[in-house]
Amino acid sequence: MKDKAYNLFEMAQRQFDQVAGLLELDDGVRQLLRQPLREFQFLIPVRMDDGQVKVFNGFRVQHNDARGPAKGGIRFHPHENIDTVRALAMWMTWKCSVVDIPLGGGKGGVICDPHNLSAREQEQICRGWVRQMAKNVGPFQDVPAPDVMSTGQHMLWILDEFETIHGGRYPGFITGKPVGMGGSLGRTEATGFGVIFVLREAMKVLGIDPSKTTASVQGFGNVAQYAIRKYHELGGKVTCVACWNNKDKTSYAFRKKDGIDADQLAGIADSFGDMDKDKARGLGYEVLPGDEWIAQDVDILIPAALENQVTAANAGKIGPRVKIIVEGANGPTTPEADEMIKARKIFLIPDFLANAGGVTCSYFEQVQCNMNYFWEKKEVLEKLDSKMTAAFHAVNQLAQKRKLYMRDAAYVIAIDRVAQAVKSRGWV
Ligand code: NAD
């Protein structure tokens, strides 16, 4: 079986159509939710350091804001395109809905590669982006955040330009800001910890003692590192971690059967979460081909690197004892692989539920900014745990009641809430 290349927006619409069928949504609601409410495509002219003007293409898609202001990152990528932004905006709508936070779904982007741009040129792109969008974004309309190749610094430039245009201070307009500049404590840990909060609940439901479990993780970046630390706190043991090696342009899996040491590995990982195989070998790790993370003799798999990693080509190699897969990354499993996982009756916690800790904490950041009062880290993480735990149980209960696969149950809950919102507002 071969996985084909997907147009992400077509894939997002296919998923939606299937759940719309399960929910028996009427035609008006379907038409409204299967495409974005609003889309912006614009040009950002920038005078480059060499004196020439270069014109960049910018995007913002607001898929749906019936439940609250649109929410979603701004990506900087040379291959950015409108269909990817549409799909990601739609998935943000479902993600905010499944964890029941009062936000809708949006996403933005600029076709550019920050690797090849000076700081001044990047700043001009950020300011140019918001000059085009200033009337259609804001704390009560649409709230951006950092995403692929964009950072807290980019967000501060965007915020500064927005505040200059509107003549006031609007810290709730952007999330993912540095702590001390309106950022929330706990945001760095939020996605990885959230992954383990839902895993912990799944183990309770399945009657599994975490301290008797082992896990294999793909990725060693922000999400994976905090997930590993939290899982270790529960008593579990990670025996294998896979990550990218930029020097060799390939991935490797690092295995230690008596358990990896996250702090030790963090000491040899670079700022991208990539790892040098010789250093890992020096610390006593077995170095295996990257794909081997999936074939380990463990109870739990945590794909937390990037999309399209569990495919028809490797899902057959999933270790025989694996009982739970918790998707830390966005879209790590292709539709073909998903069918194979479903057939094996592995308990899957889908990405837009499992990794919603990040956006939930961004929502907390917005709340704190709007009231200009900041919580202690403990308070942030406790609130995060309650939200993730409640969302997990709502999805799991529906899955049990209607005998649905967890991914389908999560979509049913998320889409139903948005459908109710557009109906209650009288839009359809
Ligand atoms: P990151 O850039 O910090 O880390 C990515 C990790 O993946 C690195 O360790 C890298 O070496 C590894 N990797 C890259 N290519 C690989 C390959 N081919 N094989 C094996 N490993 C590979 O990213 P992150 O912030 O940890 O995000 C990881 C995933 O989680 C992404 O899909 C992201 O969209 C998703 N996500 C992140 C957040 C967040 O708050 N950071 C929130 C929601 C979803």
Side-chain angles (χ1 to χ4, degrees):
M1 249 187 293
K2 199 167 170 334
D3 291 278
K4 41 184 193 220
Y6 283 100
N7 173 315
L8 280 194
F9 186 47
E10 283 171 17
M11 191 165 128
Q13 286 190 314
R14 271 219 323 263
Q15 285 168 342
F16 170 78
D17 291 339
Q18 193 205 335
V19 178
L22 280 174
L23 281 166
E24 297 176 8
L25 292 183
D26 53 51
D27 211 40
V29 178
R30 281 184 206 220
Q31 282 179 46
L32 191 64
L33 298 188
R34 76 189 300 283
Q35 48 199 335
L37 268 182
R38 282 180 290 277
E39 297 185 356
F40 303 87
Q41 295 192 46
F42 45 90
L43 300 179
I44 309 171
V46 170
R47 187 163 300 279
M48 307 297 279
D49 292 350
D50 65 3
Q52 303 289 314
V53 170
K54 197 166 167 192
V55 176
F56 294 88
N57 293 74
F59 307 103
R60 186 70 180 174
V61 172
Q62 295 163 353
H63 169 258
N64 194 282
D65 56 6
R67 287 175 42 86
K71 180 88 195 81
I74 301 174
R75 296 158 31 112
F76 289 160
H77 202 278
H79 302 138
E80 193 59 288
N81 68 79
I82 188 67
D83 273 343
T84 303
V85 181
R86 286 174 174 144
L88 293 166
M90 190 191 260
W91 284 324
M92 282 305 293
T93 305
W94 313 144
K95 189 182 290 199
C96 293
S97 176
V98 81
V99 280
D100 204 10
I101 54 179
L103 293 168
K107 205 68 157 194
V110 178
I111 304 178
C112 70
D113 188 347
H115 292 111
N116 308 326
L117 296 164
S118 70
R120 193 198 64 83
E121 290 164 345
Q122 294 178 39
E123 178 177 348
Q124 292 313 307
I125 290 176
C126 292
R127 292 185 187 275
W129 189 96
V130 79
R131 280 200 295 274
Q132 294 285 18
M133 287 300 304
K135 288 196 181 69
N136 298 290
V137 291
F140 306 108
Q141 280 171 284
D142 182 357
V143 183
D147 206 299
V148 171
M149 281 205 265
S150 60
T151 63
Q153 174 63 71
H154 294 125
M155 295 304 118
L156 286 180
W157 286 324
I158 290 176
L159 176 66
D160 184 68
E161 188 71 20
F162 180 86
E163 292 182 336
T164 305
I165 293 167
H166 289 285
R169 289 283 174 255
Y170 301 95
F173 162 49
I174 293 267
T175 66
K177 301 184 293 303
V179 172
M181 284 299 290
S184 175
L185 291 168
R187 176 62 187 87
T188 313
E189 298 87 344
T191 308
F193 280 14
V195 167
I196 303 305
F197 293 151
V198 292
L199 171 65
R200 179 195 64 207
E201 295 307 305
M203 288 193 275
K204 272 187 208 159
V205 165
L206 299 173
I208 297 172
D209 175 354
S211 68
K212 298 205 170 74
T213 62
T214 52
S216 176
V217 180
Q218 191 195 35
F220 197 65
N222 171 266
V223 178
Q225 289 195 30
Y226 285 101
I228 292 170
R229 290 196 167 92
K230 203 37 132 192
Y231 173 66
H232 281 165
E233 274 175 40
L234 296 180
K237 192 161 72 177
V238 172
T239 55
C240 184
V241 169
C243 47
W244 188 248
N245 181 305
N246 210 34
K247 200 168 66 189
D248 299 352
K249 298 276 175 259
T250 188
S251 62
Y252 294 110
F254 303 102
R255 181 166 69 183
K256 209 175 228 182
K257 286 193 174 155
D258 55 358
I260 65 122
D261 178 335
D263 291 332
Q264 193 184 46
L265 285 183
I268 61 163
D270 66 16
S271 63
F272 298 102
D274 298 352
M275 209 128 38
D276 186 279
K277 68 175 187 309
D278 298 322
K279 288 184 187 162
R281 199 176 275 128
L283 292 171
Y285 289 84
E286 287 175 75
V287 179
L288 311 170
D291 232 18
E292 284 300 306
W293 74 278
I294 208 170
Q296 297 303 304
D297 185 27
V298 291
D299 307 283
I300 296 156
L301 291 180
I302 310 181
L306 69 174
E307 67 281 354
N308 290 336
Q309 291 304 298
V310 183
T311 67
N314 64 17
K317 288 200 237 159
I318 291 175
R321 280 199 308 118
V322 170
K323 297 174 196 69
I324 303 176
I325 299 177
V326 51
E327 295 181 332
N330 281 322
T333 309
T334 65
E336 289 84 358
D338 210 27
E339 289 303 320
M340 294 162 77
I341 292 168
K342 206 188 281 190
R344 266 191 56 184
K345 298 200 174 1
I346 294 173
F347 191 95
L348 178 127
I349 313 179
D351 51 0
F352 70 106
L353 168 62
N355 69 31
V359 74
T360 303
C361 195
S362 291
Y363 159 61
F364 294 156
E365 176 180 338
Q366 208 200 3
V367 171
Q368 293 168 83
C369 283
N370 288 344
M371 61 183 181
N372 208 7
Y373 176 76
F374 288 82
W375 306 327
E376 301 292 330
K377 189 180 204 170
K378 185 167 173 284
E379 189 173 351
V380 174
L381 294 175
E382 279 168 7
K383 285 183 162 66
L384 178 69
D385 195 345
S386 319
K387 270 277 173 215
M388 297 299 293
T389 298
F392 172 84
H393 286 290
V395 172
N396 182 54
Q397 275 159 19
L398 184 78
Q400 301 297 322
K401 192 166 138 208
R402 291 190 50 186
K403 308 236 172 315
L404 292 173
Y405 186 49
M406 282 288 280
R407 195 187 306 280
D408 296 336
Y411 271 122
V412 165
I413 289 192
I415 292 174
D416 189 41
R417 284 188 183 138
V418 182
Q420 294 302 331
V422 293
K423 278 198 239 166
S424 308
R425 284 180 178 276
W427 290 357
V428 281

